[in-house]
Amino acid sequence: MNTSRGYVGSALLVCAMILVVGFFTATFFAKQIDRDQRTALMQQAQYAALLIDSSDVAQLTGSDADVGTPTYERLKSRLMAFRSYNPRIRFVYLMGYRPDIQKQFFYVDSEVVTSPDYSPPGQIFEETLAEDIAAYRTGREYTSGPYRDAWGEWVSGYTPIKNEQGQILAMVGIDIATSIWHRDGAFVWVAVGSITLLLCIVVFSLLSRIY
């Protein structure tokens, strides 16, 4: 009886230690993956910004009058092409800021006009956050999310478009669905969880032989 209790107690203690180590290991790697993903997302936003000429942005009015103009159509075709190269990206867009209502608005997006997710020039982004406004005013690159808006749940990366004088003309934004974002992190939890479970089984097996 004492031998059986000693076996169970020892096994539970060791397994508890393994579970604690496994939890912190998974947490560490999940956070590392999130940081790496955000770095990659910012790089994608920077690459998209290279396709945007500040002189073209300066010609946009942020209204229906832009539709059909060579500048608008050129920018739109570039954003659509960029989005098509990376299946992880759902939206690529160019946003301006209206200080009178403290909201961002869309200049151009990567959706065809017939898409239900299409944002016409001048459409207000109602979910504009204080973080978005502060970053826009200072021209700071940043990532945001996970968050929810009218289009779904996203993690986004933003980088500014500046003219030769350093003035902020717009922000390039890239959205990745949180389902895709969390998928990479979930792999870590599954992998570490499987290893942790396997170690617990090994511990029970070894201690049963010892006792």
Side-chain angles (χ1 to χ4, degrees):
M1 182 67 70
N2 290 337
T3 299
S4 176
R5 289 179 178 175
Y7 156 65
V8 174
S10 299
L12 291 177
L13 178 61
V14 175
C15 282
M17 295 173 62
I18 292 174
L19 289 173
V20 170
V21 172
F23 173 79
F24 283 106
T25 299
T27 300
F28 171 80
F29 283 112
K31 288 182 178 180
Q32 184 61 49
I33 287 178
D34 183 79
R35 286 193 292 268
D36 291 343
Q37 285 179 307
R38 290 180 186 275
T39 298
L41 183 58
M42 282 307 313
Q43 290 176 340
Q44 289 295 316
Q46 291 165 357
Y47 295 153
L50 294 176
L51 302 175
I52 309 300
D53 193 319
S54 61
S55 61
D56 283 343
V57 179
Q59 297 179 41
L60 298 176
T61 64
S63 69
D64 290 338
D66 290 332
V67 178
T69 63
T71 298
Y72 176 86
E73 298 302 331
R74 179 169 56 251
L75 291 173
K76 191 171 186 68
S77 64
R78 288 177 180 177
L79 294 182
M80 293 177 68
F82 183 86
R83 173 180 170 264
S84 68
Y85 292 145
N86 190 336
R88 289 172 58 89
I89 296 174
R90 179 60 187 92
F91 297 115
V92 186
Y93 45 88
L94 197 62
M95 301 186 82
Y97 175 63
R98 288 185 54 181
D100 56 324
I101 59 174
Q102 296 187 336
K103 297 284 186 181
Q104 290 178 294
F105 66 90
F106 292 95
Y107 275 122
V108 192
D109 75 353
S110 58
E111 294 295 290
V112 296
V113 177
T114 55
S115 169
D117 295 320
Y118 165 69
S119 294
Q123 179 179 346
I124 301 299
F125 182 57
E126 297 294 348
E127 291 84 357
T128 301
L129 302 175
E131 175 190 22
D132 301 320
I133 297 174
Y136 191 99
R137 287 175 169 172
T138 58
R140 175 175 57 86
E141 297 179 334
Y142 70 107
T143 61
S144 179
Y147 67 92
R148 174 183 287 275
D149 63 16
W151 291 266
E153 296 184 14
W154 317 98
V155 177
S156 303
Y158 300 95
T159 193
I161 300 295
K162 302 179 181 180
N163 61 18
E164 294 180 354
Q165 291 72 42
Q167 297 173 316
I168 312 301
L169 301 181
M171 278 280 193
V172 174
I174 289 182
D175 294 344
I176 293 180
T178 54
S179 58
I180 295 176
W181 188 268
H182 291 318
R183 186 174 60 194
D184 296 335
F187 173 78
V188 171
W189 286 98
V190 171
V192 175
S194 299
I195 294 173
T196 301
L197 179 61
L198 180 60
L199 288 175
C200 287
I201 293 173
V202 170
V203 166
F204 270 98
S205 178
L206 289 177
L207 288 179
S208 66
R209 291 177 177 272
I210 293 174
Y211 279 93

